[in-house]
Amino acid sequence: TSITIPDSVTYIGNNAFVSAGKSQGLSYVNLPKCEIIGDYGFYVARVPSITLPKCSIIGNSAFTSNTGFSYVDAPSCITVGDYAFSYCRALSYVNLSICETIGASCFQRCNSLAEVNMPKVISIGEYAFDQDTALTSVNIPECSYIGTRAFGFCSNLTSISAPKLMNLPFTAFCYCSSLSKINLPAVQSIDKQGFYNAQDIKEFYFS
């Protein structure tokens, strides 16, 4: 038996579908009118794919450990909570075209995540992309804050551009062993181990 969520749903509450899909299965989740997904909304559920065209808020751990979907298209999302997509190991592409805030550990250990579109993001929490080993480049033109180890252990990351970032925190890009091109023209401080073991740096642009 599968569960089909009606297209008319505008709100998914906290814990609404925790562990759903392990036995009964969730069908394709299309939420064309949903504006908010609460904390743990689909926590460890098995969702094969999902569309969120109008969702503006994705809560903490909303999709943690989902292994079914490979992309997230959330073009209206403003805020993505802590751990929202952590351990989503099949996730390879994310569109957050107007998102301003990405929470702590939001995409941590999404091992297949190769591309994230986030041109408007202002704040990225600690460990947000930690150990995302498929990620190759990061372009965050509006970002003014990233947390501790936000991109740590991204071993295939080759380039980072963050022209408005002024302070680089502790271990922000530690163990990014393929990182070769860095564009941080506004940076004023680099905390300890900011680029620890980033052995391949060839170009570093700063003011």
Side-chain angles (χ1 to χ4, degrees), residues 6 13 21 42:
F42 292 91

Coordinates of all heavy atoms in Angstrom, one line a residue, residues 6 13 21 42:
P6 N -2.4 14.6 -1.0 CA -3.2 15.4 -1.9 C -2.5 16.7 -2.3 O -1.8 17.3 -1.5 CB -4.5 15.7 -1.1 CG -4.5 14.7 0.0 CD -3.1 14.3 0.3
G13 N 2.9 19.3 9.1 CA 3.3 19.6 10.5 C 4.5 18.8 11.0 O 5.0 17.9 10.3
G21 N 7.1 5.1 4.8 CA 7.7 4.5 3.6 C 8.5 3.2 3.9 O 8.8 2.5 3.0
F42 N 9.4 14.7 7.3 CA 9.6 13.4 6.6 C 10.8 12.7 7.1 O 11.5 12.1 6.3 CB 9.7 13.7 5.1 CG 8.4 14.1 4.4 CD1 8.1 15.5 4.3 CD2 7.5 13.2 3.9 CE1 6.9 15.9 3.7 CE2 6.3 13.6 3.3 CZ 6.0 15.0 3.2

